[in-house]
Amino acid sequence: MKPQPQPQPPPRPPRREKRIRRDTNRGQWNSKAEFVLSLIGYAIGIGNVWRFPYLCYRSGGGAFLVPYMLMVILCGIPLFYMEVLIGQFSGTGCTGMFRLVPILKGTGYCMVVVNAYCVCYYSVIISYPIRMLYYCFWKTVPWSTCDHHWNTPNCTAIEDLHNHVGETLKTSSDEFFHLEVLRISSSIAELGTMVWGQLLSLFITWLIIYLCVVRGIKSVGKVVYFTAPFPYLLLTILFIRGVTLPGAASGIKFFIYPQWDRLYDLKVWSDAAIQMFFGLGPGWGGIVNMASFNNFRNSAKFDSFLVVSVNVFTSIYAGFVVFSVLGFLSEQSGIPVATVATSGAGLAFVTYPQAISMLPLPQLWGVLFFVMLFILGIDSVFVQLEAITTSILDEVEVLRNHKWKVTLILCIFFFSMSTIMCTNAGMFILQLFDWYSSALAIIVVCLVEVIMVAFIYGIDNFMTDVEFMLGKRPALFWKIAWKYITPIVLTFVLFTSIIFLRKITYNGIEYPTWAVAIGWLSFVSSIILIPLYVVYIMIIKRDTLKDSLKKRLKPLDWTPADPDDRADYDAFRRERKMPAFMSDTEA
């Protein structure tokens, strides 16, 4: 008996080329105003108040605005606009944007790590105003006198300092901040114990952050209606009070009087470039991420010009607010403005409070000032935390339905990591990471971004993408800026940042060599991900470097997120005969 033929399985359908799944449900801003306000809140932070005014007066006053504005026009605006365009076109965050040149995806991971460092130490910075608010409700603000248990025999009233030139004396506000608020140790080597009041302030800060971002852009989009414009109301109140004080005119003159000879100093130009760079915030991924929730046809150029203009205005406006009060402090104390003017934490938590203590109702002015600092800072944390969260959700699809859980875990994690900065050595640790972990790394990231767009993907291809999205090809200026001017300025900023990098100190105390090594390690730990990702791809794909570069220097599904826009774009590319994307099998 012949064996019966076995039934054959039906033929397999031809294998369809897999296409990367794109999340078309990431959400979208409810209005253009939400996007613009979120970017304003992100780009405008504490640095506008405590760094720009001091940098301006130190670098030539009004003359400093010449190199600063040149840097903003030639580099700041092009970088800002480019990142808005990338995010809006691709609909992805700071890791997904590197589908443009897949082998550079490690740069996206680098951005996530840098944001993580920054979120940790920046959250501690904005917890200081919360701590200071508590003291604003004392009957007499405690930083105004030297009769507290934390004061030392070196404490003296600021009015008497000019009579003790050369002596190692401290003002009451200086001892209050360092010996009571920080309870600072002698150096970073002496970690000490937990400052419980500071830990509580940090917890309150993270609780507020979580409640504001728990629903992603749905909650952030509502919160920014308050957090973005409200600091301007407080700034205006402080401005009116400041300019009506005796001595305000001399302080403002000191701030804006131009010293044209300073324009011959290379460091002034370097400072202008760095201030532009970190004032606007490109390279962190926040701009790309916020723009990824935009309407695909949104007028990105107008938004970019508006946000950058508001940022520049705020920096100058804050300078008038700060130096009007410093002029008053100078007149009351008899100490020159140049001596009382400081930057960073010293300005925000020592010098300015000292001036406030000399005003009628210092508690009121203290509340206004510290609330303004907190709100200015918290917006930046919103955007950075959202950039980290979105990058994780873009990479791990199964987590996209659990965003609030991911956000909660991240908040708990970053709060836990930040607690070491609530110890007696906390300010030393904070300054170390602020000094090394982010500054140089972000310059490198921006340089990679510009090279990716202008030279690898091709500036003409990018401008054609923008033409499809906005219906009009960008002007020749943008092509020149993105391909030539911006890379040159970024290279200048990188090298001058390294050349002029001073040895780190805090409050006159130098850091030991091992601490400096940790600082540099924090820098290396982020940028090392760029070459490590190239090596990783070579290992898992078993490709040579030449093959990896050849394949992965081509874009991978660089298309709009919306299916309708994507179909139109595919037809548009065929019509323009643009190069093909890399296939998933190659990836």
Side-chain angles (χ1 to χ4, degrees), residues 26 403 434 479 537 559 562 580:
R26 296 171 76 249
K403 182 167 185 175
D434 184 32
K479 181 175 182 177
I537 286 295
T559 55
D562 183 84

Side-chain angles (χ1 to χ4, degrees), residues 107-268:
T107 313
Y109 298 133
C110 170
M111 295 160 81
V112 172
V113 172
V114 174
N115 272 300
Y117 283 134
C118 188
V119 161
C120 286
Y121 71 73
Y122 205 76
S123 64
V124 178
I125 292 174
I126 64 173
S127 71
Y128 292 146
I130 288 184
R131 184 88 181 282
M132 297 292 282
L133 280 171
Y134 161 71
Y135 294 103
C136 287
F137 292 97
W138 285 28
K139 185 175 181 180
T140 301
V141 288
W143 57 81
S144 62
T145 61
C146 289
D147 54 1
H148 300 282
H149 65 84
W150 57 77
N151 292 126
T152 70
N154 289 329
C155 183
T156 186
I158 194 168
E159 299 92 339
D160 298 327
L161 275 182
H162 67 283
N163 297 323
H164 302 275
V165 177
E167 299 182 35
T168 56
L169 300 178
K170 297 289 186 181
T171 64
S172 55
S173 60
D174 187 294
E175 289 204 345
F176 166 75
F177 181 63
H178 288 104
L179 303 182
E180 166 61 9
V181 176
L182 299 181
R183 299 182 189 177
I184 196 165
S185 60
S186 60
S187 74
I188 193 172
E190 186 185 336
L191 189 63
T193 59
M194 189 67 69
V195 181
W196 296 108
Q198 186 54 45
L199 183 67
L200 177 61
S201 299
L202 182 66
F203 174 77
I204 293 171
T205 300
W206 274 106
L207 181 62
I208 294 172
I209 291 170
Y210 176 71
L211 293 176
C212 291
V213 302
V214 61
R215 298 180 62 217
I217 62 166
K218 291 183 179 177
S219 53
V220 171
K222 300 298 181 289
V223 172
V224 293
Y225 278 107
F226 171 75
T227 57
F230 188 63
Y232 289 96
L233 173 62
L234 301 182
L235 264 178
T236 301
I237 294 172
L238 293 170
F239 171 76
I240 294 171
R241 185 66 187 106
V243 296
T244 56
L245 292 171
S250 62
I252 293 173
K253 181 181 178 181
F254 195 81
F255 168 56
I256 63 173
Y257 184 79
Q259 303 171 42
W260 299 111
D261 59 305
R262 298 301 307 278
L263 294 180
Y264 297 105
D265 187 349
L266 182 63
K267 187 162 190 329
V268 170

Side-chain angles (χ1 to χ4, degrees), residues 507-522:
N507 214 25
I509 300 171
E510 287 193 1
Y511 282 60
T513 304
W514 63 264
V516 174
I518 291 175
W520 280 111
L521 185 62
S522 69

Side-chain angles (χ1 to χ4, degrees), residues 115 216 237 243 251 276 309 327 378 414 424 443 457 467 469 474 494 521 540 547 552:
N115 272 300
I237 294 172
V243 296
M276 168 280 300
S309 300
I378 201 168
F414 290 134
N424 298 126
I443 300 172
Y457 181 61
E467 180 184 357
M469 180 170 64
L494 180 61
L521 185 62
I540 64 167
D547 289 339
R552 294 172 188 88

Side-chain angles (χ1 to χ4, degrees), residues 272-326:
I274 293 169
Q275 177 59 32
M276 168 280 300
F277 197 79
F278 295 104
L280 298 180
W284 297 85
I287 299 171
V288 174
N289 188 59
M290 293 294 102
S292 71
F293 301 110
N294 267 351
N295 180 288
F296 187 70
R297 307 293 179 182
N298 175 62
S299 175
K301 185 166 69 173
F302 171 80
D303 298 342
S304 301
F305 275 107
L306 177 62
V307 174
V308 172
S309 300
V310 171
N311 182 279
V312 172
F313 164 77
T314 305
S315 296
I316 298 172
Y317 190 34
F320 281 91
V321 172
V322 168
F323 272 86
S324 62
V325 175
L326 294 186

